[in-house]
Amino acid sequence: MTAIEQTEARPRGTRLPRRARRNQLLGAAQEVFVAQGYHSAAMDDIAERAGVSKPVLYQHFPGKLDLYLALLDQHCEALLQAVRAAIASTSDNKQRVAATMEAYFAYVGDEGGAFRLVFESDLTNEPAVRERVDKVSLDCAKAVCEVIAEDTDLPSEESMLLAVGLCGMAQITARYWLGSGQKVPRDAAVKLVSSLSWRGIAGFPMHGAASSR
């Protein structure tokens, strides 16, 4: 997963290429939104954190919602790519389950806290936010569903239901693990949740020897 690095406020007037400036602003915005939530965050706070004037911030993002959605898009895409990479990392389905669980735990455990924008947003009543959050959850489940449908005798709708359950388990347990103080080491937590998931999914009929157990 790619995450915006923590940003340090730059002296005002420092000139950066447009792309670098945009990334800097996104990094500052992430820190402010994660710490304060959307409603409490102010563009003044973000500009100050980035070390720029408000007009510079507005040159890149017309408003606070535009800035928030740009961040959300970036981190939704990061999660989806992490899940797809986990699935593609092996043809062994037991290891695929473990890799997918690790992808969610790594995403939630990232020190930038970007997962809060996706899974714990205080702006879910905004249709544009809700649409993005629902879409990334669905897209991740679809990626898992493709493997289940290909390797089992289950109909597509049943495969999708199982995929939604697996992804839901991954993100909820990862968030609980983080919120409870990471009392179980991450590797052990991933192993536990992977074992639970695999024992369930491995019980479904497979297409011959298409997948290893």
Side-chain angles (χ1 to χ4, degrees):
M1 180 189 72
T2 58
I4 299 175
E5 296 180 352
Q6 299 286 327
T7 56
E8 295 182 1
R10 292 176 177 268
R12 293 185 186 275
T14 301
R15 295 185 64 85
L16 291 174
R18 183 172 180 81
R19 185 179 183 85
R21 177 67 78 190
R22 178 182 170 86
N23 288 337
Q24 180 205 10
L25 296 174
L26 286 170
Q30 179 180 322
E31 294 173 9
V32 174
F33 283 134
V34 168
Q36 301 181 21
Y38 178 83
H39 295 292
S40 296
M43 293 293 269
D44 284 325
D45 299 330
I46 296 168
E48 181 178 355
R49 183 72 187 94
V52 302
S53 65
K54 279 181 68 177
V56 169
L57 180 56
Y58 281 116
Q59 285 175 9
H60 292 265
F61 301 100
K64 186 167 72 165
L65 180 59
D66 300 283
L67 180 50
Y68 191 86
L69 292 177
L71 268 176
L72 192 58
D73 285 338
Q74 181 170 9
H75 292 298
C76 284
E77 181 64 18
L79 173 60
L80 179 57
Q81 291 306 316
V83 170
R84 286 175 172 167
I87 293 170
S89 66
T90 177
S91 59
D92 183 311
N93 282 337
K94 184 175 182 179
Q95 294 304 316
R96 275 176 169 160
V97 169
T100 301
M101 295 299 160
E102 168 61 25
Y104 275 92
F105 272 76
Y107 183 78
V108 168
D110 183 81
E111 64 180 11
F115 82 95
R116 299 190 188 280
L117 305 177
V118 180
F119 295 132
E120 298 178 1
S121 174
D122 62 344
L123 196 61
T124 52
N125 61 332
E126 167 60 46
V129 172
R130 184 75 260 159
E131 178 184 358
R132 284 164 168 80
V133 172
D134 289 345
K135 185 177 186 303
V136 71
S137 296
L138 187 63
D139 286 347
C140 288
K142 284 179 178 177
V144 175
C145 174
E146 288 178 6
V147 176
I148 297 174
E150 287 173 3
D151 292 350
T152 73
D153 294 319
L154 295 173
S156 59
E157 287 301 321
E158 293 183 14
S159 297
M160 187 62 182
L161 189 63
L162 290 175
V164 169
L166 286 172
C167 291
M169 178 188 297
Q171 68 102 340
I172 290 172
T173 53
R175 287 167 55 202
Y176 171 79
W177 164 80
L178 184 70
S180 62
Q182 307 175 48
K183 296 175 183 176
V184 178
R186 192 171 97 184
D187 288 349
V190 169
K191 186 176 180 179
L192 282 170
V193 179
S194 299
S195 178
L196 173 62
S197 301
W198 177 244
R199 288 182 182 183
I201 200 70
F204 291 93
M206 310 296 286
H207 286 315
S211 298
S212 63
R213 291 179 180 235

